[in-house]
Amino acid sequence: EIVMTQSPDTLSVSPGERATLSCRASQSVSSNLGSYSNLAWYQQKPGQAPRLLIYGASTRATGIPARFSGSGSGTEFTLTISSLQSEDFAVYYCQQYKNWPPYTFGQGTKLEIK
Amino acid sequence: QVQLVESGGGVVQPGTSLRLSCAASGFTFSSHGMHWVRQAPGKGLEWVAFVSLDGSDKDYADSVKGRFTISRDNSKNMLYMQMNSLRADDTAVYYCVRGVAAVSGDWFDPWGQGTLVTVSS
């Protein structure tokens, strides 16, 4: 089973500033050639279902603002929110879909207002 | 638009059974693998089960294997989860999720609004 670990658990950032969230996999989730990474990011607001933000480590889902960007390969991944808006304060999860079952998620990073 | 609507949650006693349903609309249901993902109160996300396009292949998390059964009815655009021998640690919001296929596996999009299952005596 691939274990996904996110850091930090909680991140306090002021509106308008940049937020950087990290996700580490216990083994590589990239293709053998390294050209594709089987890594997705989700956003969850209180009382709501998760929403897909990023897939393939760096491709934004439909309707996701350009201030959200994903990067990384192998075992180290980053979600960056370039200029935080009030609606961005939420919990963020990474998920691997390279080796399954099981599909695995990180424990989540809570992004809170500083 | 793509929509997933779960139903069937509720409060049940340990050792009993419950059947969750998910009504899908706005997309070709038979073209997607489907999943259940759960979230215990105040906790993170846990993948529970997968069913393939035609229902022939199924996979489960170890925590539910042998107790839960996922199924689908493509003629009705419905996904199901039969949950038997329920335990307190099965208490969670259960989400119906569409799989979007990559080469290796699925990412999840969209998610239903969830249905709460509470197992308590």
Side-chain angles (χ1 to χ4, degrees):
Chain A
E1 173 177 331
I2 297 179
V3 177
M4 307 300 290
T5 304
Q6 294 182 238
S7 61
D9 289 334
T10 302
L11 182 61
S12 298
V13 183
S14 300
E17 295 192 337
R18 174 189 296 256
T20 302
L21 290 68
S22 296
C23 174
R24 173 177 291 178
S26 60
Q27 58 187 270
S28 176
V29 298
S30 297
S31 65
N32 291 341
L33 295 177
S35 59
Y36 183 85
S37 293
N38 299 270
L39 191 284
W41 289 94
Y42 302 88
Q43 176 194 65
Q44 186 178 33
K45 297 179 181 179
Q48 296 185 17
R51 175 177 71 145
L52 175 71
L53 295 176
I54 301 278
Y55 60 92
S58 60
T59 302
R60 280 189 303 277
T62 302
I64 302 303
R67 64 180 181 273
F68 290 89
S69 63
S71 63
S73 65
T75 62
E76 301 284 344
F77 298 90
T78 300
L79 175 69
T80 301
I81 311 170
S82 59
S83 178
L84 280 164
Q85 307 297 303
S86 57
E87 61 267 29
D88 299 335
F89 292 95
V91 179
Y92 292 83
Y93 295 93
C94 61
Q95 174 234 338
Q96 68 81 22
Y97 49 95
K98 173 81 184 303
N99 290 346
W100 62 277
Y103 288 91
T104 49
F105 295 89
Q107 81 279 14
T109 290
K110 181 180 180 180
L111 181 57
E112 64 177 26
I113 300 174
K114 185 174 183 179
Chain B
Q1 74 281 20
V2 177
Q3 195 168 13
L4 300 168
V5 179
E6 303 95 335
S7 60
V11 181
V12 296
Q13 293 190 331
T16 61
S17 299
L18 200 62
R19 188 195 198 203
L20 305 182
S21 299
C22 170
S25 60
F27 66 103
T28 304
F29 183 67
S30 59
S31 295
H32 289 266
M34 295 296 296
H35 303 259
W36 290 98
V37 177
R38 69 183 180 182
Q39 185 171 37
K43 302 297 184 182
L45 302 170
E46 179 189 18
W47 171 81
V48 175
F50 160 80
V51 62
S52 62
L53 277 61
D54 62 0
S56 60
D57 291 330
K58 303 174 184 182
D59 286 293
Y60 300 93
D62 287 345
S63 58
V64 307
K65 199 172 294 183
R67 299 187 300 122
F68 290 12
T69 302
I70 190 172
S71 62
R72 65 190 297 162
D73 185 338
N74 286 346
S75 69
K76 297 180 179 179
N77 290 352
M78 294 292 296
L79 177 71
Y80 304 101
M81 176 74 86
Q82 178 66 40
M83 304 187 295
N84 298 333
S85 304
L86 283 161
R87 311 185 305 219
D89 61 359
D90 294 318
T91 294
V93 174
Y94 285 74
Y95 295 102
C96 167
V97 186
R98 185 180 71 168
V100 183
V103 174
S104 298
D106 292 352
W107 66 82
F108 302 142
D109 182 50
W111 300 55
Q113 87 286 351
T115 188
L116 177 61
V117 173
T118 303
V119 184
S120 174
S121 55

